[in-house]
Amino acid sequence: MILSLKEFAEACNAIKVCGKAATDENKSAAPSVANLLFDSRRLNTTEDTVFFAIKTANNDGHRYINELYNKGIRIFVCQNEDCAKGKDATFFIVEDSLKALQDVAKYIRKRFSGKVVAITGSNGKTIVKEWTKILVGEDKKICFTPRSYNSQIGVPISLWQLDQSHEAAVFEAGISAPNQMQALQEMILPDTGLITNIGEAHGVNFSSEEEKINEKLQLFKGCKTLICSQDNPLLFEKVETFCRKHNITYWLDGGTLLGAVRHGGFIPWDDDIDIAMPLDDARRFAQIAPGELREGLTLQSPETEPTREPIMKVRDNNSFYVEANDDFSMPYGKGLYVDIFPFIAYPN
């Protein structure tokens, strides 16, 4: 994404713009904002980069403004007007730098007209997102969360990639305490939601599993469709209640990844697909998979010749792929095998 300084001032809800008078849109060399920086250690380029001086419990980004100015940064978002004194740079003064970053994300999201899918859950968010990327392939231009950028800072960085050239977007949302999901929901505004599972991860700040589920479900307010595994009875119950209350179409299944991608219109229902994954993870999955699943799995490598056609095949000794078509799904009564993978207790 690239915004002019005028657009950026509106996006971040700046109280005041001070420092270098660089907001004149008539100047042919007027700078714009093309790169977001929130950690001084991650500086890659100074050109058209804005630094957000964010205060956290352990640090204060305002401490690094002088250092970054000396390195060439000329656009800043901060909470203290005094930081601009004596500097030939543009400063956007805001009440809260983190909120300003999130406001920029909201500004970008509201300009996007394509479909947006949001993924949350205690485990498996990144795996689901990465496998979705493989499923979709290069047929469509879709914006994905980079790496595991799913936090209060990571989600805005993810949304910064989004523009009208994308047909759709898939974003992760992660929380670690109550009252965090609303901010993520307001940025992502998903049309379709997917919740992988509810486990012990990030649970220390929640009083109960029920409280954690209720918090995660806040992401899906305003969704048209919510897709969820029904393996967890409490999650199953809460999703049903939530969707009925908010008039959301819900799809509950033993596995959801492939169905979610197809249900979302990313790939046709009658297309066969395969998914690649590191071989070590494939072997681990074969060990922890439920009994009825494990009986139907055969790991094949170039050195082995299984007695029956496998559904998990090794590619180049480093990864495996899953042949996911109806021929393999029917005998075991579990739907397409690839659907079930993210809902095993499986850390990112």
Side-chain angles (χ1 to χ4, degrees):
M1 178 60 66
I2 299 176
L3 297 178
S4 68
L5 292 185
K6 182 178 180 180
E7 290 173 320
F8 188 80
E10 178 185 352
C12 72
N13 289 315
I15 300 170
K16 184 177 181 180
V17 181
C18 58
K20 183 179 180 182
T23 57
D24 185 358
E25 297 295 317
N26 295 318
K27 291 182 180 180
S28 60
S32 57
V33 176
N35 306 293
L36 306 185
L37 179 66
F38 63 91
D39 185 335
S40 62
R41 297 167 298 180
R42 300 185 181 185
L43 177 63
N44 292 319
T45 178
T46 60
E47 184 176 1
D48 295 338
T49 295
V50 58
F51 174 66
F52 285 81
I54 296 174
K55 291 184 177 182
T56 68
N58 301 316
N59 209 343
D60 184 350
H62 293 78
R63 295 169 50 191
Y64 305 99
I65 289 177
N66 288 337
E67 172 190 334
L68 290 170
Y69 179 80
N70 291 334
K71 290 181 177 179
I73 296 292
R74 290 297 179 265
I75 309 173
F76 297 88
V77 174
C78 67
Q79 299 169 207
N80 187 348
E81 187 175 340
D82 291 341
C83 294
K85 291 180 179 179
K87 295 182 177 63
D88 186 26
T90 300
F91 285 78
F92 296 93
I93 310 304
V94 298
E95 291 184 0
D96 184 301
S97 297
L98 175 58
K99 186 178 183 301
L101 176 63
Q102 295 175 343
D103 286 343
V104 171
K106 295 176 190 177
Y107 180 89
I108 293 168
R109 172 64 181 94
K110 289 176 180 177
R111 289 168 43 152
F112 182 66
S113 58
K115 179 176 290 188
V116 174
V117 177
I119 302 170
T120 194
S122 298
N123 311 104
K125 295 181 291 295
T126 301
I127 282 179
V128 170
K129 180 257 300 180
E130 291 298 325
W131 283 5
T132 301
K133 187 185 299 184
I134 296 168
L135 285 171
V136 174
E138 299 179 356
D139 294 339
K140 294 179 180 290
K141 186 175 181 183
I142 298 179
C143 180
F144 289 94
T145 294
R147 292 182 279 183
S148 296
Y149 281 21
N150 54 40
S151 66
Q152 301 293 317
I153 292 176
V155 168
I157 300 301
S158 299
L159 277 156
W160 181 253
Q161 306 173 102
L162 191 61
D163 60 45
Q164 291 301 334
S165 69
H166 292 107
E167 298 175 64
V170 179
F171 296 123
E172 300 176 39
I175 57 171
S176 58
N179 304 315
Q180 290 185 344
M181 191 60 88
Q182 182 176 341
L184 303 186
Q185 187 276 335
E186 291 174 354
M187 289 184 278
I188 299 173
L189 295 177
D191 302 295
T192 299
L194 192 156
I195 183 165
T196 58
N197 60 23
I198 295 294
E200 296 181 359
H202 311 297
V204 66
N205 294 315
F206 293 94
S207 61
S208 65
E209 183 176 286
E210 181 176 1
E211 183 185 30
K212 191 195 303 190
I213 292 173
N214 288 335
E215 178 68 18
K216 288 184 180 294
L217 287 176
Q218 299 311 302
L219 175 63
F220 307 120
K221 286 183 176 179
C223 273
K224 298 180 179 69
T225 305
L226 175 56
I227 304 153
C228 176
S229 167
Q230 59 184 348
D231 295 341
N232 182 319
L234 180 59
L235 177 60
F236 183 100
E237 174 189 341
K238 291 295 182 181
V239 166
E240 281 194 308
T241 302
F242 178 86
C243 289
R244 287 171 179 163
K245 178 180 178 181
H246 295 282
N247 196 28
I248 299 171
T249 300
Y250 60 97
W251 181 28
L252 300 166
D253 198 356
T256 65
L257 172 57
L258 181 57
V261 176
R262 286 180 166 163
H263 188 74
F266 293 139
I267 59 175
W269 281 91
D270 56 357
D271 276 10
D272 292 342
I273 53 88
D274 62 51
I275 283 183
M277 188 179 176
L279 179 56
D280 286 345
D281 287 344
R283 288 175 173 146
R284 180 167 182 260
F285 174 78
Q287 293 173 352
I288 65 176
E292 66 270 27
L293 254 182
R294 189 161 50 242
E295 291 174 5
L297 297 177
T298 305
L299 284 177
Q300 181 189 34
S301 70
E303 294 80 27
T304 64
E305 295 183 3
T307 56
R308 59 176 159 168
E309 183 69 15
I311 62 168
M312 298 174 68
K313 296 183 178 180
V314 174
R315 177 186 291 149
D316 301 327
N317 281 322
N318 294 316
S319 66
F320 79 91
Y321 70 91
V322 179
E323 289 190 350
N325 56 47
D326 290 340
D327 293 338
F328 288 113
S329 67
M330 295 303 291
Y332 306 106
K334 275 288 190 178
L336 300 178
Y337 281 95
V338 67
D339 284 358
I340 305 168
F341 290 0
F343 308 108
I344 305 299
Y346 202 92
N348 286 344

